[in-house]
């Protein structure tokens, strides 16, 4: 029996929420370890659809859910989300949700700064979700952030706020923006503190107790390896590490406790926001993938960019992310294509590369090398066993395994929890 970490193997929105919800049934605890409410997971259970951002997807199965220290937490957004899912019939209480005391807070100043940088005339534009995630992580690394635990001790807040604003107000003075009023921020924090306090706990102690009791833990990654601050397409990335290694650091457990790493992988490729995308299809194919796959962001509603499956990238993220096996999702979206292209290399001048070069100038000059496969032109939607898959669909899946160097552990054929084929149970390893 082993614990499982789930991470995204592409640029996000691979269907992590659906797979985590499905796996949560086999776990006793679900832990988020990075990111914040920039994540958006749509989870379909029968006739109900849930949209989660900050809450671990384990809350749907009523599992003890931890927001680990590696997450940046907007407390207003958290309460709003708890109220929103509550209205949809999902009760989240301090018995089911624990918020790590050493997690960093996302404040209104972070959201505002993110928005200013994303304004259309800004040279800093990256296409972020404007949730303040980057600015909050900057303050964390700059050692001036406020943390969840600070809400417990209002008397300590003024000095901490002064330290934080010494940085932000200097920036604001420089850009001609109005300074932040320390008193107003203090009042806002004092007002929200009693509503957050009941959820505050210790991620590392929760996990240690679970481990000692032999409980199965599911680590829930947000975003994806190509958005990782180190291993992604920098600077068009998010501000946290999204690889499996972060599951340990971002929750307070040793790396050996992560037994199996499941990389969630879409059967084609999508990306939201700016940045390189070698197999992007700015044509009818891209439009068809987007329309069939309903590729609009959960958080921002933005249209996702679409393209063919890129085995070079997933081979690379399998290595950098530490992926043992993948869950291949949205196979059904490819049901209506005569032929399907898979990228197997990049032509760069007179060379063919089997990896994505780190240099943005080189990335821009890559031409994908495609292998053409026959489509299956029949429905795989809702398939729950291999036997229900057409031969060409099986060929496609097998070829992907070969190209990326990792086996398919799960296969997903619709948004619904139950339309999932188990090839190998990740918890058994
Ligand atoms: P996440 O951020 O990785 O959790 O993914 P999102 O929830 O943002 O986006 C994935 C979308 O695809 C959601 O709307 C899911 O309901 C949907 N989805 C997941 N798996 C499948 C699948 O196998 N087939 C289809 N058609 N939709 C899926
Ligand atoms: P889930 O968990 C897809 C992208 C943004 C932008 C970049 C930086 O649903 O897969 P940020 O707000 O994090 O500073 O934005 O990262 N991004 C995501 N793209 N899915 C996500 O999460 C994302 N979270 C951030 O679009 O390009
Ligand atoms: Mg998403």
């Amino acid at each position: 029996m082993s614990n499982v970490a789930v991470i995204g193997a592409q640029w996000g929105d691979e269907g992590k929420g659906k797979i985590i919800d499905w796996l949560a049934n086999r776990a006793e605890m679900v832990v988020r370890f990075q990111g914040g409410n920039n994540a958006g997971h749509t989870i379909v259970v029968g006739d109900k659809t849930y949209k989660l951002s900050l809450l671990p997807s384990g809350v749907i199965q009523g599992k003890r859910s931890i927001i680990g220290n590696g997450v940046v937490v907007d407390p207003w957004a958290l309460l709003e989300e708890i109220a929103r899912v509550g209205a949809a019939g999902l009760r989240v209480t301090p018995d089911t949700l624990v918020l790590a005391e050493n997690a960093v807070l996302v404040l209104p100043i972070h959201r505002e700064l993110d928005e200013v940088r994303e304004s259309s005339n800004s040279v800093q534009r990256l296409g972020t979700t404007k949730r303040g995630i980057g600015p909050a992580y900057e303050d964390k690394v700059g050692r001036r952030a406020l943390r969840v635990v600070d809400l417990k001790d209002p008397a300590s807040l003024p000095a901490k706020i002064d330290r934080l604003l010494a940085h932000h107000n200097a920036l604001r003075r420089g850009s001609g923006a109005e300074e932040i009023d320390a008193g107003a921020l203090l009042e806002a924090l004092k007002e929200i503190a009693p509503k957050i306090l009941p959820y505050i706990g210790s991620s590392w102690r929760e996990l240690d107790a679970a481990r000692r009791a032999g409980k199965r833990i599911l680590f829930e990654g947000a975003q994806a390896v190509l958005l990782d601050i180190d291993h992604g397409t920098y600077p068009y990335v998010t501000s946290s590490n999204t690889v499996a290694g972060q599951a340990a650091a971002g929750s307070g457990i040793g790396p050996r406790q992560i037994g199996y790493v499941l990389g969630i992988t879409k059967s084609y490729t999508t990306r939201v926001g700016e940045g390189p995308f070698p197999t992007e299809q700015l044509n009818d194919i891209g439009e068809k993938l987007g329309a069939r796959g309903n590729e609009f962001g959960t958080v921002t509603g933005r249209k996702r960019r679409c393209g063919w499956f890129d085995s070079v990238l997933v081979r690379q993220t399998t290595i950098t992310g530490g992926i043992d096996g993948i869950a291949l999702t949205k196979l059904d979206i490819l049901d209506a294509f005569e032929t399907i292209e898979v990228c197997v290399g990049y032509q760069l001048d007179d060379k063919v590369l089997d990896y994505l070069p780190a240099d943005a100038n080189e990335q821009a000059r890559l031409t994908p090398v495609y292998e053409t496969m026959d489509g299956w032109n029949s429905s795989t939607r809702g398939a729950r066993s291999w036997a229900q898959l057409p031969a060409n669909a099986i060929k496609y899946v097998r070829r992907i395994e070969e190209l990326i160097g990792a086996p398919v552990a799960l296969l997903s054929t619709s948004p619904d929890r139950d339309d999932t084929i188990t090839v190998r149970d990740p918890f058994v390893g």
Side-chain angles (χ1 to χ4, degrees):
M1 192 196 293
S2 64
N3 299 321
V4 172
V6 170
I7 61 172
Q10 293 152 321
W11 275 297
D13 304 324
E14 299 92 347
K16 295 178 290 295
K18 160 174 169 164
I19 299 294
I20 291 160
D21 165 65
W22 186 84
L23 283 169
N25 190 24
R26 291 161 174 69
E28 282 148 293
M29 186 175 268
V30 180
V31 191
R32 274 282 302 268
F33 55 85
Q34 47 69 235
N37 59 330
N38 49 348
H41 311 305
T42 300
I43 298 163
V44 180
V45 187
D47 58 2
K48 290 212 157 173
T49 298
Y50 302 98
K51 292 192 186 290
L52 301 181
S53 275
L54 200 45
L55 289 171
S57 302
V59 295
I60 293 177
Q61 303 251 17
K63 301 294 167 146
R64 197 161 173 84
S65 297
I66 317 286
I67 296 180
N69 53 275
V71 178
V72 286
V73 182
D74 180 331
W76 293 274
L78 178 64
L79 292 178
E80 236 175 72
E81 191 173 331
I82 292 173
R84 183 165 51 74
V85 300
L90 209 68
R91 256 171 64 78
V92 176
T93 68
D95 285 333
T96 49
L97 179 71
V98 177
L99 175 56
E101 56 193 358
N102 49 346
V104 156
L105 293 176
V106 180
L107 303 172
I109 41 173
H110 297 130
R111 256 179 286 147
E112 203 187 304
L113 188 54
D114 204 352
E115 274 176 24
V116 170
R117 290 174 179 169
E118 286 297 313
S119 57
S120 53
N121 56 354
S122 164
V123 291
Q124 300 180 67
R125 222 173 115 82
L126 299 170
T128 74
T129 59
K130 302 185 191 170
R131 294 298 185 271
I133 305 301
Y137 275 118
E138 287 169 33
D139 281 345
K140 175 178 184 174
V141 178
R143 295 164 294 187
R144 56 182 171 261
L146 300 185
R147 299 187 302 166
V148 169
V149 68
D150 297 332
L151 297 175
K152 269 180 162 173
D153 181 15
S156 76
L157 277 172
K160 288 172 181 158
I161 290 174
D162 282 347
R163 193 173 57 194
L164 177 69
L165 293 188
H167 172 80
H168 282 272
N169 280 337
L171 274 182
R172 295 173 76 97
R173 279 193 297 275
S175 66
E178 204 177 311
E179 290 191 27
I180 301 289
D181 175 19
L185 178 56
L186 178 64
E187 284 317 306
L189 290 168
K190 277 185 174 167
E191 201 260 324
I192 195 135
K195 299 175 194 156
I196 293 291
L197 286 180
Y199 297 99
I200 300 182
S202 162
S203 175
W204 71 268
R205 293 178 64 209
E206 285 278 339
L207 291 176
D208 187 49
R211 182 182 68 80
R212 286 170 193 277
K215 292 186 175 167
R216 285 174 168 191
I217 306 168
L218 181 59
F219 297 89
E220 170 173 358
Q223 289 83 51
V225 179
L226 294 170
L227 292 170
D228 183 282
I229 186 77
D230 286 285
H231 299 288
T233 46
Y234 193 89
Y236 300 100
V237 293
T238 193
S239 297
S240 62
N241 282 114
T242 57
V243 293
Q246 177 62 18
S251 66
I253 203 166
R256 278 201 300 273
Q257 300 308 317
I258 300 158
Y260 189 92
V261 180
L262 184 68
I264 314 301
T265 312
K266 213 177 268 196
S267 302
Y268 47 102
T269 312
T270 63
R271 164 161 219 175
V272 218
E274 315 292 319
F277 182 172
T279 63
E280 183 171 20
Q281 298 295 303
L282 293 165
N283 53 28
D284 289 354
I285 295 166
E287 288 298 318
K288 184 170 169 182
L289 286 169
R292 289 186 55 82
N294 190 25
E295 296 295 353
F296 294 91
T298 308
V299 173
T300 56
R302 287 179 293 173
K303 197 170 169 181
R304 296 174 183 150
R305 300 156 63 192
C306 297
W308 293 119
F309 186 81
D310 189 336
S311 74
V312 179
L313 290 181
V314 179
R315 179 175 167 275
Q316 183 164 334
T317 61
T318 296
I319 297 167
T320 56
I323 291 168
D324 294 307
I326 66 166
L328 192 66
T329 62
K330 302 189 96 162
L331 188 67
D332 53 301
I333 304 308
L334 298 179
D335 285 351
F337 288 87
E338 283 297 324
T339 54
I340 298 169
E341 310 277 331
V342 179
C343 173
V344 296
Y346 301 132
Q347 186 82 43
L348 178 69
D349 305 329
D350 57 352
K351 289 190 297 270
V352 176
L353 305 184
D354 63 354
Y355 63 92
L356 184 75
D359 182 340
N361 288 323
E362 288 186 351
Q363 287 173 2
R365 287 178 21 238
L366 300 175
T367 311
V369 178
Y370 287 110
E371 189 173 290
T372 305
M373 299 192 66
D374 289 330
W376 44 92
N377 273 306
S378 59
S379 176
T380 61
R381 194 175 166 98
R384 291 183 184 182
S385 72
W386 272 110
Q388 289 173 272
L389 297 179
N392 281 351
I394 293 178
K395 259 194 206 160
Y396 183 69
V397 175
R398 292 301 184 211
R399 184 66 183 135
I400 285 178
E401 288 181 316
E402 231 168 58
L403 287 166
I404 67 171
V408 169
L410 302 175
L411 199 64
S412 168
T413 57
S414 102
D416 200 274
R417 177 192 283 165
D418 295 323
D419 294 334
T420 307
I421 300 171
T422 315
V423 183
R424 163 188 184 159
D425 183 344
F427 276 110
V428 176

